[in-house]
Amino acid sequence: MLETERLILRDVEETDAPFLLELLNSPGFLENIGDRGVRDEDQARAYIRERVLGSYQQHGFGMWLTVQKLDDTPVGLAGLVRREGLQVPDVGYAFAQRAWGRGYAQEAAGAVLAHARGVLGIPKLAAITTLENFASMAVLRKIGFTYEGVIQLPGVERESTYFTVG
């Protein structure tokens, strides 16, 4: 579990399926990250078991549920991902549209970066965005990432911007 001034980042649990269903089907997620094919709560629970908990078990890290400290309301996901085509773990985040514009992505991604480098001892990290996601690119630059160019990841239809730190 990570804690910032306004957020708690904790392991995702199967009981978080309703929020994940909402987030994974939100226009911003579909446009900037992609369709994960999760259409109901059973599929959301399966996604949590296979993708999220599976990453914790396989890599020792993954995406965390990001909740507001004030009222324990889930607002997004943030964490580390092992992605085919990248040599190092990648910092990822996605937030519900109702949480946009509050600085949560920068706060959460900064905490993930500090945890990865300090606690996990990972010296170099990557991050990717769609070519049109200028808000996410700004977040990455603010927390210390450098734009390296455009890459084509295996199994991904469109090109991605590629950032690194470390």
Side-chain angles (χ1 to χ4, degrees):
M1 184 173 82
L2 300 179
E3 199 169 317
T4 70
E5 181 182 336
R6 301 176 297 159
L7 303 170
I8 293 173
L9 286 72
R10 64 161 175 80
D11 287 355
V12 177
E13 301 167 354
E14 284 191 47
T15 56
D16 298 316
F19 174 74
L20 255 70
L21 177 63
E22 172 197 342
L23 181 65
L24 297 178
N25 288 288
S26 67
F29 193 97
L30 293 169
E31 183 178 313
N32 294 306
I33 298 171
D35 188 350
R36 298 297 187 246
V38 174
R39 300 291 180 258
D40 59 40
E41 285 190 24
D42 287 338
Q43 290 177 337
R45 282 189 289 278
Y47 180 89
I48 291 167
R49 281 192 306 276
E50 295 161 17
R51 299 279 302 265
V52 180
L53 302 180
S55 179
Y56 297 162
Q57 292 167 354
Q58 185 176 2
H59 305 296
F61 54 74
M63 297 298 282
W64 287 301
L65 189 74
T66 304
V67 299
Q68 297 175 132
K69 273 187 185 178
L70 182 65
D71 58 8
D72 205 37
T73 300
V75 290
L77 294 171
L80 297 173
V81 178
R82 277 305 280 161
R83 197 178 304 275
E84 186 180 353
L86 296 180
Q87 301 299 313
V88 296
D90 128 61
V91 174
Y93 45 87
F95 286 84
Q97 192 164 346
R98 66 180 179 275
W100 291 2
R102 297 183 186 177
Y104 287 162
Q106 182 177 339
E107 193 172 323
V112 169
L113 175 61
H115 177 78
R117 296 177 93 188
V119 176
L120 300 178
I122 301 171
K124 185 172 183 176
L125 295 158
I128 60 168
T129 72
T130 60
L131 301 180
E132 305 80 18
N133 194 342
F134 299 110
S136 191
M137 291 180 218
V139 167
L140 294 171
R141 287 185 175 103
K142 286 177 186 173
I143 64 171
F145 278 83
T146 302
Y147 174 76
E148 299 290 344
V150 175
I151 61 170
Q152 182 73 47
L153 292 172
V156 178
E157 291 180 18
R158 56 189 175 181
E159 294 180 317
S160 300
T161 61
Y162 178 62
F163 290 79
T164 62
V165 66

